């Protein structure tokens, strides 16, 4: 989970590699969310208190102003806890506290893409240039001249739709300037574009970091997906998600901006300062203005939400695409999203974030666990997950029919060793509390 969480904080071709398919719950009809005693679904109440104690300790020690966690199994919420405050010196954290979820937006965008997939509007191995002609003649980075200009070569082929949904298309992001192309994304203001068309043109003007399908590279490709959704649906991304996903799922507090009447529910946003060795109030580029609808809705990181709302999204995924009578996707499409889509070349390589060696692959806008032992996790095979730049995290485990959500509001949280592996810690504590998985 550490790799996935690091990538979330960065705001993490050919035949499919062998990987588990995501499945709906194994018994009975699709379930809805309710509350239940932990023991009724195999958890130990006493052992679950270890999670609460660990979260409260982070608050008491000043590592966090507050945190909220939610654990559900077989459609039953067995733990929904809040600790601390919305901000240091502020009001108490509540179950309906709103958070910027940043890259946790990506799986929602993936679901929107797959809704259009089910309507026959695109195919996985279609070239992206079929829908974005500006990507027909992309170049690939090879080096730099003494004056800093790029040396490039022609791309072997346009990236595919599968590759933009698995971060293997060759695009960059600019949020972790680890190479000249990332730096160029920053200097040209790719993510600050004033329109979707301007965004696409800026991306098309920059080289890919490598040939399509040859590497895993966290990228702006989910923002590209947002542009495609708008083009294929004829709707804005906010309107599509609101009418096709949020309203059917009764996700009442999720969207691309926060209405003024809900502003007092927003958690204060902090940044871990390496200089001060503490949390400071966040400011600058990463603090998205959510007081009004955005000029360009970011499919890669623009949503705000609550744990209660995202739980409904997670349960829909775990149910195989449905919740409370609202059918969002089919079970087969959910299974397709939760399968590893990285090529054999990437998975068998020694470098890169997601390989057989690491026991992790990547599906369609989710990370997927292909080998729990190699991944160092007690979660089941086929578990999917991702996280956000401000420390929100989740995973959905079909093998154990459970999901877990956690929300904090700290940018650069990995600078604090106590927060760096928060998702790993929560996994250890939660699975140690699942004492009777047969229930």
């Amino acid at each position: 989970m550490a790799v996935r969480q690091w990538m979330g904080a960065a705001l993490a071709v050919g035949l499919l590699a062998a990987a588990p398919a995501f499945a709906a719950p194994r018994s009975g009809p699709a379930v809805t969310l309710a509350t239940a005693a932990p023991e009724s679904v195999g958890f130990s109440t006493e052992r679950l208190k270890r999670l609460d104690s660990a979260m409260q300790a982070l608050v008491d020690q000043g590592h966090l102003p507050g945190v909220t966690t939610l654990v559900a199994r077989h459609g039953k919420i067995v733990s929904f806890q809040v600790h601390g405050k919305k901000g240091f010196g502020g009001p108490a954290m509540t179950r309906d506290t709103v958070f910027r979820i940043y890259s946790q937006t990506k799986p929602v965008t993936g679901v929107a893409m797959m809704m259009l997939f089910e309507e026959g509007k695109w195919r996985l191995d279609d070239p992206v240039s079929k829908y974005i002609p500006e990507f027909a003649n992309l170049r690939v980075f090879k080096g730099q001249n003494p004056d800093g200009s790029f040396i490039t070569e022609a791309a072997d082929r346009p990236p595919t739709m599968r590759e933009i949904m698995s971060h293997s298309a060759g695009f960059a992001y600019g949020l972790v300037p680890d190479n000249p192309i990332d730096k160029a994304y920053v200097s040209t203001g790719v993510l600050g574009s004033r329109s979707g068309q301007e965004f696409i043109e800026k991306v098309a003007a920059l080289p890919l970091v490598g040939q399509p399908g040859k590497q895993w590279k966290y990228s702006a490709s989910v923002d590209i997906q947002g542009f495609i959704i708008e083009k294929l649906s004829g709707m804005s991304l906010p309107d599509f998600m609101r009418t096709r996903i949020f309203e059917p799922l009764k996700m009442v507090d999720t969207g691309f901006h926060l209405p003024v009447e809900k502003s007092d529910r927003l958690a204060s946003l902090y940044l871990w300062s390496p200089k001060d060795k503490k949390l400071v109030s966040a400011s600058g580029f990463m603090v998205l203005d959510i007081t009004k609808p955005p000029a360009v809705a970011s499919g890669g990181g623009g949503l705000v939400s609550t744990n209660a709302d995202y739980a409904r999204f997670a349960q829909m995924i775990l149910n195989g695409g449905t919740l409370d009578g609202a059918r969002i996707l089919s079970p087969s499409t959910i299974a397709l999203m939760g399968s590893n889509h990285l090529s054999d070349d990437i998975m068998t390589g020694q470098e890169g974030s997601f390989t057989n060696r690491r026991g992790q692959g990547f599906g369609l806008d989710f990370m997927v666990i292909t080998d729990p032992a190699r991944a160092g996790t007690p979660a089941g095979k086929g578990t999917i997950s991702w996280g956000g730049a401000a420390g929100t995290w989740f995973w959905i485990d079909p093998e154990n029919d459970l999901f877990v959500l956690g929300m904090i509001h700290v940018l650069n949280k990995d600078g604090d060793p106590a927060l760096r592996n928060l998702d790993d810690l929560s996994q250890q504590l939660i699975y140690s509390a699942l004492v009777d998985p047969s229930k």
Side-chain angles (χ1 to χ4, degrees), residues 263-274:
S263 59
D264 62 338
R265 290 167 50 196
L266 181 67
S268 298
L269 185 63
Y270 292 90
L271 169 73
W272 172 260
S273 169

Side-chain angles (χ1 to χ4, degrees), residues 11 101-106 109 173 223 256 288 298-303:
L11 152 180
I101 63 172
Y102 290 103
S103 286
Q104 215 166 301
T105 302
K106 289 177 168 67
T109 300
Y173 217 157
D223 289 286
F256 286 96
L288 303 178
S298 170
L303 288 176

Side-chain angles (χ1 to χ4, degrees), residues 13-266:
V13 93
L15 294 174
L16 295 185
F22 195 92
R26 292 168 293 177
S27 60
V31 291
T32 187
L33 285 168
T35 57
E39 280 73 15
S40 69
V41 293
F43 280 103
S44 160
T45 297
E46 287 304 310
R47 284 176 168 249
L48 276 175
K49 289 179 181 178
R50 296 173 181 173
L51 175 68
D52 302 333
S53 296
M55 298 301 107
Q56 187 62 49
L58 291 172
V59 172
D60 293 342
Q61 295 163 13
H63 295 286
L64 291 171
V67 55
T68 174
T69 59
L70 187 151
V71 182
R73 188 166 193 241
H74 301 330
K76 303 296 191 295
I77 296 172
V78 297
S79 176
F80 191 177
Q81 301 296 325
V82 295
H83 305 273
K85 300 178 178 180
K86 296 176 185 174
F88 290 115
M93 186 74 76
T94 58
R95 289 185 173 186
D96 66 351
T97 295
V98 177
F99 297 82
R100 295 171 175 87
I101 63 172
Y102 290 103
S103 286
Q104 215 166 301
T105 302
K106 289 177 168 67
V108 184
T109 300
V111 165
M113 281 286 290
M114 298 311 289
M115 295 175 81
L116 296 172
F117 173 86
E118 288 193 335
E119 294 171 8
K121 294 185 183 298
W122 64 274
R123 295 174 61 85
L124 278 169
D125 293 320
D126 284 343
V128 180
S129 55
K130 180 176 180 179
Y131 310 100
I132 305 179
E134 293 85 349
F135 289 173
N137 298 298
L138 295 173
R139 306 287 295 180
V140 176
F141 176 77
K142 294 298 291 182
Q144 285 182 285
N145 292 306
D147 65 358
S149 60
F150 294 139
I151 302 169
T152 66
E153 66 179 6
D156 293 339
R157 55 172 176 76
T160 67
M161 299 289 274
R162 186 196 305 272
E163 288 163 348
I164 67 165
M165 294 191 73
S166 59
H167 294 289
S168 57
F171 295 107
Y173 217 157
L175 298 175
V176 182
D178 57 355
N179 62 52
I181 306 305
D182 274 285
K183 292 177 182 178
Y185 269 61
V186 175
S187 65
T188 60
V190 168
L191 295 183
S193 298
R194 294 165 294 182
S195 70
Q197 185 60 40
E198 179 184 322
F199 164 73
I200 292 298
E201 290 172 358
K202 286 183 175 181
V203 171
L206 294 172
L208 300 175
V209 297
Q211 290 289 348
K214 299 300 183 182
Q215 66 282 299
W216 191 92
K217 168 71 175 172
Y218 197 42
S219 69
S221 63
V222 191
D223 289 286
I224 295 170
Q225 292 172 44
F227 180 83
I228 293 173
I229 291 165
E230 293 189 333
K231 193 169 184 178
L232 294 182
S233 70
M235 302 171 68
S236 71
L237 185 62
D239 283 348
F240 186 94
M241 287 189 177
R242 176 178 55 80
T243 60
R244 299 288 302 274
I245 300 174
F246 303 148
E247 288 179 354
L249 292 180
K250 301 175 184 176
M251 296 171 66
V252 297
D253 292 319
T254 304
F256 286 96
H257 78 285
L258 189 65
V260 64
E261 63 269 19
K262 297 182 180 181
S263 59
D264 62 338
R265 290 167 50 196
L266 181 67

Side-chain angles (χ1 to χ4, degrees), residues 58 61 63-64 272 413-422 425:
L58 291 172
Q61 295 163 13
H63 295 286
L64 291 171
W272 172 260
K413 77 169 185 62
D414 287 359
D416 182 352
L419 302 179
R420 186 173 301 149
N421 297 311
L422 191 55
L425 173 63

